Amino acid sequence: MIEKICNWISRLLFVFLLILVLLLFVPNFVGFKTFSVISGSMEPNIPVGSLVYTKSVEFEDLEVGDVVSYKLSENTMVTHRVNSINTDNNTLITKGDANDNVDGSEVQNSQIVGKVIFTVPYLGYMAIYSRTPLAIVAVCIIVAVLITVNMLPGILKEKE
């Protein structure tokens, strides 16, 4: 019975870690860029704490209604919906879904990182905290539990 429980816990932890790796790291290798949403400007469509997956697109392929991520400054990314497109000077006017007014300045083509392809709610929190010492400790604990759970049935059998 203990062996079945340990196997079940082990598989569950392994699947959890595998899904996290697939969602957090693999997309970067296939051309996606990921960003965590830290403000409510796109709610309810993209809630705070979501992870957005963007793909680089040509300016000509963007349409009104698309959601794009762009650099506001060196350290600040914004993800908002395209409200209008000026093809004469390759700029966009964007607006957060929860905002009453359009954004104050035009977005230059050079600022655009990509078009949002899909989002995963709450995963942005994990992406943000995965870079902290506490997260590294948590991963080490999960791996230790995984190893212990795999070894526990063998240890218990030896004692019997």
Side-chain angles (χ1 to χ4, degrees), residues 10-31:
S10 174
R11 286 185 188 122
L12 188 65
L13 285 173
F14 180 76
V15 168
F16 175 74
L17 289 175
L18 183 63
I19 290 170
L20 277 181
V21 167
L22 289 174
L23 290 172
L24 290 175
F25 301 109
V26 172
N28 295 320
F29 295 113
V30 293

Side-chain angles (χ1 to χ4, degrees), residues 40-43 80 83 94-104:
S41 66
M42 286 299 291
E43 288 191 328
H80 278 174
N83 191 271
T94 58
K95 178 183 173 296
D97 291 351
N99 298 344
D100 292 330
N101 300 313
V102 296
D103 297 337

